[in-house]
Amino acid sequence: MEYTLTKDNFQELVLESQEPVLVDFWATWCGPCMMLSPIVEELAETHKVGKVNVDEEPELARQFGIVSIPTLILFENGEAVRQSMGYRPKAELEAFLEG
């Protein structure tokens, strides 16, 4: 399932989640983000995925030190456990999710 994350729902949907959450920090003007988007949508069929538009949620981007997009962060038990920057093919992202 894919969620649109904001500063208002991030705590509940990501930090308090009982299952791992993949968070995609992206923007509409970002070419690599648009290339990655269909892959993230596919991953959302089997994983919990949240998307943060960095233009609409700059506080969240700052909070997690986002300096380049797309950035994917995997959260487990409310903690950021892995991070990936830039475009990655689906097989690499599946491996990223598995650890």
Side-chain angles (χ1 to χ4, degrees):
M1 180 165 278
E2 192 173 89
Y3 300 90
T4 298
L5 297 173
T6 67
K7 64 182 183 317
D8 297 325
N9 67 11
F10 196 90
Q11 178 78 29
E12 174 189 353
L13 294 177
V14 178
L15 301 181
E16 295 174 2
S17 177
Q18 298 302 308
E19 58 187 303
V21 183
L22 179 66
V23 178
D24 177 13
F25 290 86
W26 68 286
T28 56
W29 49 263
C30 166
C33 298
M34 296 298 107
M35 291 170 47
L36 189 64
S37 186
I39 296 170
V40 171
E41 286 175 21
E42 283 182 46
L43 293 173
E45 294 172 11
T46 54
H47 297 83
K48 188 173 179 182
V49 174
K51 294 180 72 78
V52 175
N53 182 323
V54 297
D55 290 330
E56 295 174 1
E57 298 294 333
E59 291 173 35
L60 282 175
R62 272 193 303 276
Q63 181 179 345
F64 292 100
I66 305 303
V67 294
S68 178
I69 54 173
T71 292
L72 300 174
I73 300 178
L74 182 63
F75 287 83
E76 293 178 356
N77 301 314
E79 299 290 323
V81 293
R82 284 191 287 290
Q83 183 170 315
S84 172
M85 285 190 277
Y87 174 83
R88 299 279 185 269
K90 185 177 180 185
E92 280 187 33
L93 290 180
E94 287 172 335
F96 170 81
L97 286 169
E98 300 308 314

